[in-house]
Amino acid sequence: MTRDDDGMHEPDSSAVRGRLDRRSFFRGAALLGGMGAAGLLPAFEPQRAWAAEPEQNPGATEALAAQTQRVLRWSGPAPADWVRPRAGVDHDVVVVGGGQTGLSVAYGLRRAGIGRVELIDQAEPGQAGIWRTIARMRQLRTPKTIPGPEHGNAALGFRAWFETLHGPGAFDALDRIPRVVWADYLTWYEQITGARVRYRTRLLDIEPVGDVLRLHLQSEGRAHTQTTRKLVLASGYAGAGGANVPGFLRTLPARLWTHTDEPIAFERLAGKVIGVLGAGASAFDAAGVALERGAAGVHLFSRRAYIEYTNAPAPRTPRAAPDRGYPNMEEMNYALAEQVRWRSQLGRARAVASVPLDSLNRAVSHDNFHLYLNSPWDQVAVAGDGKVAVRSGAVTHRFDYVIAGTGYQIDLSAQPELARIHASIALWRDRYHPAPGEQNRAGGAYPYLGAAFQFLPREGADAAFLRNIHCANLAATVSFNALMGDVPSMVLQPPLIAGIARDLFVESVDVAANRRFIDRPASAPDPGPYQRALHG
Ligand SMILES: Cc1cc2nc3c(=O)[nH]c(=O)nc-3n(C[C@H](O)[C@H](O)[C@H](O)COP(=O)(O)OP(=O)(O)OC[C@H]3O[C@@H](n4cnc5c(N)ncnc54)[C@H](O)[C@@H]3O)c2cc1C
């Protein structure tokens, strides 16, 4: 059994049994008739069982397959594709990113009757998104009860999937959703929605040709172009500027450091002393995994005076106020005044990153974990013995390896596929001028988006094509006052989908040809059906 980055131990025999059951279930999902999913993915192989794996109900695999078939039948097939194809254009919509956002948007578009949707991801098959690669926590950080990618069809939601396999009691017993279970659920969702992700395909460049977009792609090492009318960037937290890496770390040789956004070969860090920069959840998770894999010591540095932590399991009893992610609440954020959305950004920027208590405990429970507060790093260098020398205040520390848990940045100019067009895109700093004392440089770098997540042109830019590029990654955060990509942001997708549908619909109307409706001569039909009632 391979282990990646979740730091759990080899499964016992019951866990192996559960794994086999679940694997056979996924084969079953691929064979469900009428969903177009058969053979699209390689046989699904869960990475590992999760902690305290609940028993799978006898016959659960078959029950889920039957239930899914029934639910999809009740939903009816996706509406016929009503979008009039435009001659010479390959796709109506291309969605970049086969993570949870891209999968859900693609499904939503098909349910809206938009058929020529292409979904691409640079990842290997089954590896899109973060859950099986760079996410290292045991459980999601968000509550288990909020809506996900099911588009209001509860039977396609996590809870229905999980309870059918394991029973309602097992769901009630969950604190939050185990990470690998969420990944398994998304794999099932990908299969039953017939997502057809084109894997190993990377968007390199966007070239506007009139209002059509020519996409420069690399598929399995082969460069080629395809055209589309609409483009959705569902490219995640790293999709609008990449990982935030302090410049001084980039001076180190790559073998001595990494960012938490990269896969980390923890098995090579056994017996090593590791320095972690940053005190957010991902930093603590990386520290925890390193210690579980036998690191000799982990030293974690925060520039702040304290660690903010949360212990917010899913509410077990209904609460008076709706949870975050309650439909109709988050999706109204866009209508809030600019000042309100801006102050939310300011609040996020000033807040100390919050760490779930279980992630904190995971690291702190090890005697060889050491926490340094008020301790930013000033300088790093390679010492004579090949170790990393880190100066923090008056003290110099020596590490075998360092990990940056320093989050993500929004910088459209740093995103390779936006190189040709980023200068035309309006940013918050172009459109909104904060009151004195409310400036925030990082917030000003976010794109100022339209209500359907579309980029808007910077003043004076001749870039009408931007209305066809919809930015559904972390860069949408300030405009929509929500961390775009996380589970609570799923409820923001309807206006994105409706906006794309509206544009394609309006564009497909030929105004000149439309005259035929008023030019058509009126001709009376045979009066037979009402003849006998005619008076006179
Ligand atoms: C460590 C971590 C933990 C998180 N934990 C939680 C949590 O517990 N709960 C929660 O609600 N949110 C969480 N989030 C936030 C958010 O839910 C996740 O980032 C989530 O994966 C976002 O889904 P996504 O589909 O938008 O993007 P991603 O999952 O990042 O998927 C984006 C996809 O786009 C592809 N891609 C990017 N650029 C290109 C390109 N140019 N060409 C082709 N493909 C491309 C990538 O390969 C990737 O597969 C977490 C984020 C991180 C980083």
Side-chain angles (χ1 to χ4, degrees), residues 96-103 120-123 127-131 134-137 139-142 146 182 201-204 217 234-239 260-261 282 285 324 408 415 417 472-474 483-490:
V96 180
Q100 60 194 32
T101 304
L103 291 175
I120 66 167
D121 201 297
Q122 64 198 359
Q127 297 292 308
I130 63 164
W131 306 113
I134 58 117
R136 303 181 176 91
M137 66 284 202
Q139 315 186 87
L140 295 200
R141 297 168 188 158
T142 32
I146 56 178
W182 179 251
T201 300
R202 180 169 188 189
L203 173 65
L204 300 174
L217 303 166
S235 41
Y237 271 31
T260 52
D261 188 56
S282 292
D285 285 327
R324 231 182 122 222
Y408 296 88
Q415 193 60 35
E417 62 268 29
N473 59 33
L474 190 64
L483 294 172
M484 191 59 193
D486 71 4
V487 182
S489 77
M490 297 270 176

Side-chain angles (χ1 to χ4, degrees), residues 384-455:
D385 56 2
K387 293 188 189 294
V388 184
V390 172
R391 211 187 66 218
S392 176
V395 185
T396 298
H397 305 263
R398 291 167 108 75
F399 301 119
D400 296 306
Y401 194 76
V402 298
I403 298 174
T406 41
Y408 296 88
Q409 64 171 1
I410 299 301
D411 178 2
L412 301 189
S413 70
Q415 193 60 35
E417 62 268 29
L418 301 181
R420 192 194 288 259
I421 63 168
H422 75 85
S424 307
I425 298 171
L427 306 180
W428 268 76
R429 66 170 172 254
D430 301 319
R431 299 266 180 140
Y432 180 71
H433 303 291
E438 295 190 7
Q439 284 87 355
N440 177 246
R441 200 181 159 81
Y446 283 70
Y448 190 103
L449 299 177
F453 290 80
Q454 74 275 30
F455 285 132

